[in-house]
Amino acid sequence: MNNLEFQTKILSDYFGIDKKEFKQRNILNPTFNKDVRLFIDPMLLKTSSYEIFNTIARDKYEKFFNNLCDRILITKELQGIDKEKAQKGIIQDLRFSEQKGLCLGFSRYSTSGRGTGKEISKTLFNSAEKLICKGSENTGIFSVLFLLEEGFGPDYISDMTAHIIVNELAIFTETIASDLKIPTREYLINGIRYNLPKHPLYNTYLFFVPKDILSPLNNVLDAKDTLERFSGEAEDNDFIRQRINHDIADILQKATKNKSRLSELKKEAKNYILDNETALSKLRTFINEDQKQPYDFNKDILGIDIIAQLTELFQEVKPIIDTKKCDEDIIDDIISGFVNTIENNNKILRDLENKKEDSWQNAFFLYCKRTCAENNIDISPEAETGLGPVDFKLSRGHNFKILIEMKLSSNPQYLKGLEKQLEAYKKCFQQVKKSYYLYIDIEQDSIKSDERKQKLLNKKKELNIDSNIIFINGKIKPSASKLK
């Protein structure tokens, strides 16, 4: 299987299994060389439909941190080298490497993890030690710290959770693999042997993950959202709770007024809560009892399932390419074919409706990859330039390169994409024969739509930009029966 096939192959297809089997079991069916932008949320373990997660894994997760708290408390009584060794041991236990076999995380075209550094785990230890030595209750302290400490994002929490419940993930995967008759190999995890599928790309095992323990990799507003919901919950008969809510609300209002960064908001909220045992207790209870919801795969705004859907649709589309043409003209025809296919297929447009830019980029790649391969043209998504990744680089050998940048009309950086990003990327490569800027118009307001298109054309003329602007109408068309 070549690299192009790997980049858009979902697990069910790789194993030759109907994707309905994954859907019926509510299991993630990801592409396996491109991280899915979800993470294992420990707060969702308790509501999983699978007992191994809602009972065994959840209990194991809680015991892990209760044990850490007990160890931190013990270090308070130690002295000298014994204290130093104990602290180093705890810090080491707060370092977690990413599990490649989960296919989760921030990488867009790789599942190779980056792990968690020593400094981050040391920061977490220092804050926990401060709280525990002040006499704070153990239960739930870390959930508050994960929310308020700078540098602790969903990727850390997912790596941490997977590390803690790795045996439960292995048991679950072993059961599913046996049920679906998927080939396995023997792997040793924490001294126990499991029969697990081999990862298609790496010399390691692969894990299956239930969808109901996955949350989206929220942007930086996650902590702010939690604090807003916390401060918005009033209890008429609880004066202390009302006062704390008021204090947190003041911090949020001040941060909004001063246009503070999230790191500044976290720091102020952390200082208030960590110096106020009652506030800490209230927030801890709120976080642990918060009824979080897993990622909504029905709406699927991140386009997690889009590759599976579009692969089926594009199988019906066979671009007609005149192979006698030069490479530039062939690529012109491929792009024109993509535009025509998108604009005239409401089924594809419905699948892409309300999806993020990633999904449209996946659609372009899925459409182009077969035709490019047949014409010996290499298509590289997220090709690194040294100044950041260009969306696509098409090439044949060293002396022929085409660069493509794609933006949705909803992207506030749509002008920057043309005048700065694409122009800068072109300077990073030699032998760039042509460049394209694909602008997908999903704006429902026709006046605003026309204004934005004109801005792009004016900018191209003003700066004498030689990139080709391709306007794509990404709006669903009215059915023939509704046309007058």
Side-chain angles (χ1 to χ4, degrees):
M1 186 180 295
N2 63 36
N3 190 46
L4 288 177
E5 291 175 299
F6 268 132
Q7 286 173 339
T8 49
K9 199 84 170 178
I10 56 177
L11 277 183
S12 58
D13 288 346
Y14 178 77
F15 289 122
I17 296 170
D18 191 329
K19 62 179 179 292
K20 291 179 182 177
E21 297 287 347
F22 279 68
K23 190 172 183 179
Q24 288 172 0
R25 292 165 175 80
N26 202 30
I27 299 170
L28 182 68
N29 186 16
T31 50
F32 44 74
N33 84 318
K34 182 176 68 171
D35 281 344
V36 176
R37 296 178 70 79
L38 301 172
F39 76 102
I40 297 180
D41 189 338
M43 296 296 106
L44 292 175
L45 292 175
K46 62 186 176 184
T47 56
S48 174
S49 60
Y50 288 97
E51 184 178 0
I52 193 170
F53 294 108
N54 66 40
T55 302
I56 301 172
R58 180 192 178 190
D59 183 57
K60 193 172 181 181
Y61 176 86
E62 292 176 353
K63 284 181 178 178
F64 177 87
F65 285 105
N66 284 336
N67 179 55
L68 271 185
C69 289
D70 290 339
R71 288 167 62 192
I72 291 173
L73 191 59
I74 290 172
T75 62
K76 182 181 177 182
E77 309 300 325
L78 300 177
Q79 299 293 328
I81 191 68
D82 290 336
K83 186 182 187 74
E84 185 179 337
K85 285 183 178 179
Q87 290 176 336
K88 283 183 178 180
I90 295 170
I91 291 171
Q92 181 61 38
D93 286 346
L94 286 169
R95 295 181 66 179
F96 309 101
S97 58
E98 186 177 24
Q99 291 280 353
K100 292 180 182 179
L102 287 172
C103 301
L104 303 172
F106 283 102
S107 291
R108 293 188 54 196
Y109 289 94
S110 169
T111 61
S112 181
R114 60 189 175 201
T116 302
K118 180 179 179 180
E119 290 305 313
I120 294 179
S121 55
K122 187 175 181 180
T123 298
L124 186 59
F125 166 78
N126 289 336
S127 292
E129 183 182 45
K130 175 183 174 183
L131 286 175
I132 293 168
C133 291
K134 280 175 57 178
S136 299
E137 296 177 13
N138 290 356
T139 309
I141 280 178
F142 280 94
S143 61
V144 177
L145 293 178
F146 292 144
L147 178 76
L148 299 179
E149 287 285 8
E150 186 61 20
F152 295 96
D155 54 341
Y156 176 92
I157 294 172
S158 189
D159 296 343
M160 169 199 72
T161 308
H163 174 84
I164 295 169
I165 66 168
V166 65
N167 291 91
E168 285 65 42
L169 287 167
I171 293 170
F172 179 75
T173 301
E174 192 174 49
T175 301
I176 296 297
S178 174
D179 188 25
L180 296 178
K181 296 180 172 56
I182 293 173
T184 60
R185 297 184 182 183
E186 189 175 81
Y187 293 95
L188 189 66
I189 301 176
N190 290 340
I192 303 174
R193 298 187 183 278
Y194 298 98
N195 292 308
L196 305 172
K198 181 188 177 299
H199 195 290
L201 293 178
Y202 304 115
N203 189 27
T204 187
Y205 44 79
L206 178 81
F207 281 144
F208 294 130
V209 187
K211 290 180 175 179
D212 59 12
I213 65 171
L214 298 174
S215 283
L217 284 172
N218 294 334
N219 53 29
V220 294
L221 297 179
D222 185 48
K224 185 177 180 182
D225 174 70
T226 301
L227 289 173
E228 284 176 343
R229 287 186 289 110
F230 172 68
S231 64
E233 282 205 355
E235 295 181 9
D236 294 336
N237 298 320
D238 189 343
F239 173 77
I240 295 176
R241 175 60 181 272
Q242 288 181 356
R243 189 195 71 214
I244 294 169
N245 289 352
H246 184 270
D247 291 343
I248 294 295
D250 279 349
I251 292 172
L252 287 163
Q253 289 169 10
K254 188 186 298 182
T256 301
K257 182 179 179 181
N258 297 334
K259 298 182 179 179
S260 302
R261 293 179 299 178
L262 182 70
S263 59
E264 295 167 344
L265 169 63
K266 278 186 170 185
K267 183 177 180 180
E268 190 166 352
K270 173 186 163 185
N271 289 339
Y272 170 76
I273 288 171
L274 299 195
D275 287 335
N276 185 327
E277 174 61 28
T278 304
L280 173 65
S281 176
K282 295 289 185 183
L283 181 60
R284 183 173 57 219
T285 300
F286 176 80
I287 292 173
N288 291 331
E289 294 181 355
D290 190 21
Q291 297 300 310
K292 292 195 67 175
Q293 297 297 317
Y295 177 69
D296 190 338
F297 279 88
N298 291 321
K299 292 182 179 179
D300 194 23
I301 63 171
L302 295 178
I304 304 297
D305 290 335
I306 198 72
I307 286 180
Q309 296 164 0
L310 291 180
T311 297
E312 289 186 0
L313 291 174
F314 284 140
Q315 282 176 348
E316 304 169 6
V317 178
K318 176 63 176 176
I320 300 175
I321 300 297
D322 184 353
T323 56
K324 295 179 181 178
K325 290 184 176 182
C326 68
D327 289 340
E328 287 185 35
D329 288 343
I330 287 176
I331 290 173
D332 273 339
D333 288 348
I334 291 174
I335 293 174
S336 296
F338 173 74
V339 174
N340 183 64
T341 299
I342 289 292
E343 291 188 336
N344 294 288
N345 193 318
N346 271 351
K347 193 172 182 180
I348 294 175
L349 288 171
R350 287 193 187 95
D351 280 342
L352 290 168
E353 188 178 19
N354 298 321
K355 299 295 189 296
K356 295 185 180 295
E357 218 163 64
D358 286 5
S359 296
W360 291 86
Q361 291 166 352
N362 283 332
F364 180 78
F365 183 75
L366 286 165
Y367 177 87
C368 297
K369 66 163 188 168
R370 180 177 58 182
T371 305
C372 284
E374 289 173 351
N375 289 276
N376 198 29
I377 295 171
D378 179 61
I379 177 169
S380 303
E382 293 292 299
E384 188 52 56
T385 67
L387 295 176
V390 65
D391 287 337
F392 297 97
K393 174 171 70 74
L394 284 75
S395 59
R396 192 205 291 266
H398 178 71
N399 297 320
F400 178 82
K401 297 181 181 69
I402 301 283
L403 302 185
I404 299 174
E405 190 70 12
M406 179 183 288
K407 287 286 187 288
L408 284 180
S409 59
S410 57
N411 188 331
Q413 303 295 319
Y414 74 96
L415 270 177
K416 180 182 176 182
L418 174 70
E419 66 175 319
K420 294 185 178 179
Q421 287 178 285
L422 187 52
E423 289 302 291
Y425 297 153
K426 285 155 64 176
K427 296 175 183 177
C428 297
F429 292 103
Q430 294 179 343
Q431 305 297 333
V432 174
K433 301 298 183 183
K434 215 168 186 179
S435 57
Y436 294 86
Y437 181 78
L438 306 187
Y439 177 82
I440 302 163
D441 181 20
I442 56 173
E443 182 59 59
Q444 297 302 317
D445 185 329
S446 60
I447 295 176
K448 187 181 290 186
S449 172
D450 292 340
E451 286 177 350
R452 291 186 174 184
K453 289 178 186 176
Q454 193 59 52
K455 282 183 179 179
L456 285 167
L457 293 172
N458 292 343
K459 188 63 66 174
K460 174 180 167 68
K461 183 177 181 181
E462 174 193 339
L463 300 178
N464 195 28
I465 294 172
D466 63 357
S467 296
N468 297 275
I469 300 178
I470 307 294
F471 294 114
I472 302 174
N473 186 347
K475 291 167 283 192
I476 295 174
K477 313 302 184 295
S479 63
S481 62
K482 294 183 179 179
L483 293 174
K484 295 182 179 179

